[in-house]
């Protein structure tokens, strides 16, 4: 293959590692069954609207913290940072239906979830740009487009699961997808 590939990225000049990273990062950019914290917390928790609002504010603050921490850690080891983020997302979403029904359990898991999710865009974008070092602008466009596409697909798939099953099933599917994302990152070409 020569010349500009999909989305204008010149894959001819990408090392094999870069091509694999681009494909793997695109496949696990974010969890296709994107669970949302609020619907699960309102359906399963005895907390009222004010407490849920405070929890979601803390979730957002944890996301900001995760974003900054991942920014520092990706420089040392992108693969380990991405694997940790996906693994923490898996743990939080799989454990939320089990121990997140109480206020303390839900709060702790939302903090973990927020921090882990805050790391995902940093890891993904770094991986995309690393995969296409000669076309960082094109890599950023692919990152943004694929991230938005996974949001749309996640909302559609998650909504369909909630409509036919429950928020707990969405959490389990999201957790399984996060496990698969972690495995994909670990097994990607080094």
């Amino acid at each position: 293959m020569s010349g500009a590939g999909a989305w204008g990225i010149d894959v001819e000049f990408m090392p094999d590692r870069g091509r694999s990273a681009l494909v793997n990062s695109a496949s696990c950019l974010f969890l296709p069954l994107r669970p949302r914290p609020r619907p699960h917390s309102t359906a399963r928790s005895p907390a009222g609207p004010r407490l849920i609002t405070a929890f979601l504010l803390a979730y957002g603050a944890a996301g900001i913290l995760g974003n900054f921490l991942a920014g520092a850690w990706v420089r040392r080891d992108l693969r380990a940072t991405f694997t940790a983020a996906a693994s923490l997302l898996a743990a939080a979403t799989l454990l939320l239906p089990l121990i997140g029904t109480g206020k303390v359990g839900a709060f702790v898991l939302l903090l973990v979830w927020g921090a882990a999710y805050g790391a995902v865009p940093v890891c993904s974008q770094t991986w995309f740009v690393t995969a296409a070092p000669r076309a960082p602008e094109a890599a950023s466009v692919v990152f943004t487009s694929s991230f938005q596409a996974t949001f749309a697909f996640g909302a559609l798939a998650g909504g369909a699961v909630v409509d036919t099953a429950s928020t707990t099933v969405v959490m389990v599917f999201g957790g399984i997808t996060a496990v698969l994302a972690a495995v994909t990152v670990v097994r990607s070409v080094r």
Side-chain angles (χ1 to χ4, degrees), residues 4 29 35 40 42 52 59 66 77 82-83 87 91-92 134 143 161 167-168:
L29 181 58
H40 183 77
T42 55
I52 289 174
Y59 166 84
D77 193 341
F82 211 163
T83 301
S87 298
R134 295 178 128 195
F143 161 75
V161 171
T167 57
T168 299

Side-chain angles (χ1 to χ4, degrees), residues 8-104:
I9 296 176
D10 194 345
V11 295
E12 183 67 26
F13 294 105
M14 260 196 240
D16 288 338
R17 165 184 67 80
R19 287 182 225 166
S20 296
L22 184 61
V23 170
N24 287 333
S25 188
S27 69
C28 68
L29 181 58
F30 188 58
L31 316 176
L33 287 169
R34 184 172 187 259
R36 304 281 198 274
R38 185 178 173 272
H40 183 77
S41 58
T42 55
R44 305 276 297 167
S45 175
R50 288 182 187 206
L51 187 57
I52 289 174
T53 299
F55 280 17
L56 292 176
L57 180 62
Y59 166 84
I64 293 169
L65 178 65
N67 192 274
F68 282 105
L69 290 174
W73 293 341
V74 294
R75 293 181 187 137
R76 287 183 231 146
D77 193 341
L78 172 57
R79 184 180 321 279
T81 305
F82 211 163
T83 301
S87 298
L88 288 171
L89 277 169
T93 54
L94 289 170
L95 290 173
L96 200 60
L98 301 173
I99 61 174
T101 56
K103 293 175 185 174
V104 173

Side-chain angles (χ1 to χ4, degrees), residues 139-173:
S140 292
V141 169
V142 174
F143 161 75
T144 302
S145 299
S146 62
F147 210 75
Q148 295 304 318
T150 59
F151 281 161
F153 178 74
L156 177 66
V161 171
V162 168
D163 287 347
T164 59
S166 68
T167 57
T168 299
V169 174
V170 169
M171 301 305 287
V172 171
F173 282 179

